[in-house]
Amino acid sequence: MRIGLIGTGRIGTLHARTLTAHPEVTEVVVTDADGMRAVEVAAALDATSVPTVSELFSLDIHAVVIASATSSHAELIRTAAERGLPVFCEKPVALDLPGTRDALRAVDEAGTLLQIGFMRRFDAGYAAAREAVREGRLGRLHTIRALTSDPAPPPAAYLPLSGGLYRDCLVHDFDAVRWVTGREVLSVYAAGSDAGPGMFRAAGDVDTAAALLTLDDGTLCTATATRVNGAGYDVRMELAGEADQFAVGLDARTPITSLEPTAPAAPDKPWPGFIDRFGPAYEAELAAFVRAVRGEIPNPCDGHEALEALRVAEACERSRTTGLPVTLAEIL
């Protein structure tokens, strides 16, 4: 299988490394807006580089992986669909609902495959949580606490392009909540704080956010995120039911210190970032993509799943700006 990869930044390089090591992938062809970076990545991984996206699409490739700038995703998805090519794309499909729906329409009309990179679906802890919920081991699930805390803010130039904290960061939690529980979000009530670094206020964004989600079976979920968690990279989900309680992301590297006298010591090596924390999940999602392209498994995360997570993020952003609860029925 010959796979084209667009974008050789940090996550694109990780994907290129994973694909070149895959036994079913015979060649990886990479391209990037920064041509020299693509050349360097290709040389380091024994891949092939081409100078432009157009040239990549002119080749005889079997699938495309998109890890380029967010603003390019929708157009690249449409281009691949027109050529009948299966696509793996980092989230989001687009930063708004009309752009997302337009790209998904192109995929549906072409009858091609689009897998979205919600890597938490391939994390062992989240998968175990899903299984526990499906098996009823918690009894009636009544409370979920989800969080994503980045250790340091992204570059200031990234913020205006990111879509904001709900769309860029918490959207992973929204997808994970839907995937783990199998339930839909009915309504949200959200708030945000820009009391931290001034670049967030300049971008019209917040550095810390919280949302209360009500699911369609009455389960309540709090979802919080921050860009300024100096202790390290912290991603967790806690699920509390009438019969039991489970946690995802609670291990020897979780960047949290208990002040109880009998508690374990603070972690020696807290998680520094998302690639370290979710490395195996990133590999697993691409392995699944290859299998899906080969027709061995169904698509594990299609674009319509990304649309639903984005609708929750849109509802949260509207709630934050209005100060009012928002139902998902309002997000069309």
Side-chain angles (χ1 to χ4, degrees), residues 9-30:
R10 183 165 50 166
I11 193 66
T13 298
L14 175 65
H15 288 335
R17 183 177 299 113
T18 298
L19 290 169
T20 54
H22 195 289
E24 298 295 339
V25 177
T26 56
E27 183 182 14
V28 177
V29 183
V30 304

Side-chain angles (χ1 to χ4, degrees), residues 39-73:
V39 169
E40 292 171 352
V41 168
L45 297 176
D46 194 24
T48 303
S49 67
V50 293
T52 66
V53 169
S54 296
E55 185 167 342
L56 184 143
F57 277 119
S58 72
L59 299 174
D60 181 20
I61 54 177
H62 301 104
V64 177
V65 171
I66 300 172
S68 51
T70 294
S71 59
S72 68
H73 289 186

Side-chain angles (χ1 to χ4, degrees), residues 34-301:
D34 182 342
M36 184 52 64
R37 183 167 66 184
V39 169
E40 292 171 352
V41 168
L45 297 176
D46 194 24
T48 303
S49 67
V50 293
T52 66
V53 169
S54 296
E55 185 167 342
L56 184 143
F57 277 119
S58 72
L59 299 174
D60 181 20
I61 54 177
H62 301 104
V64 177
V65 171
I66 300 172
S68 51
T70 294
S71 59
S72 68
H73 289 186
E75 180 180 355
L76 292 171
I77 289 169
R78 288 193 298 269
T79 301
E82 291 169 359
R83 287 161 171 76
L85 292 171
V87 172
F88 175 94
C89 183
E90 283 299 326
K91 64 84 188 167
V93 174
L95 284 177
D96 59 17
L97 293 173
T100 299
R101 289 194 172 98
D102 182 58
L104 296 184
R105 190 177 305 113
V107 171
D108 290 343
E109 290 175 354
T112 53
L113 182 150
L114 170 62
Q115 180 181 330
I116 301 300
F118 281 125
M119 75 290 188
R120 296 186 195 182
R121 294 182 177 220
F122 299 88
D123 176 74
Y126 282 96
R130 175 183 165 92
E131 182 179 359
V133 171
R134 296 297 197 279
E135 293 177 350
R137 287 158 52 196
L138 292 97
R140 182 183 67 87
L141 179 65
H142 53 72
T143 307
I144 302 171
R145 293 174 287 272
L147 67 89
T148 295
S149 299
D150 289 333
Y158 173 75
L159 294 178
L161 309 175
S162 71
L165 192 57
Y166 295 106
R167 299 183 190 94
D168 181 52
C169 185
L170 272 167
V171 72
H172 279 289
D173 296 272
F174 302 151
D175 179 71
V177 167
R178 293 183 64 252
W179 185 72
V180 166
T181 65
R183 313 305 307 194
E184 297 296 340
V185 178
L186 286 185
S187 65
V188 309
Y189 183 66
S193 170
D194 62 2
M199 64 182 183
F200 289 95
R201 290 185 293 280
D205 196 6
V206 294
D207 62 75
T208 303
L212 173 63
L213 316 179
T214 300
L215 306 189
D216 59 11
D217 64 347
T219 301
L220 297 180
C221 172
T222 59
T224 64
T226 185
R227 300 285 200 185
V228 287
N229 191 56
Y233 182 69
D234 191 5
V235 171
R236 279 178 282 145
M237 176 183 282
E238 298 172 1
L239 302 106
E242 291 182 342
D244 212 335
Q245 183 170 229
F246 297 119
V248 177
L250 185 61
D251 59 20
R253 299 189 67 181
T254 304
I256 189 168
T257 301
S258 173
L259 300 180
E260 297 297 330
T262 59
D268 291 332
K269 295 176 62 179
W271 294 110
F274 63 91
I275 287 180
D276 303 87
R277 166 66 178 84
F278 288 110
Y282 281 117
E283 294 179 6
E285 68 179 357
L286 282 182
F289 175 62
V290 171
R291 293 189 66 198
V293 171
R294 289 168 58 85
E296 297 172 356
I297 60 171
N299 188 344
C301 186

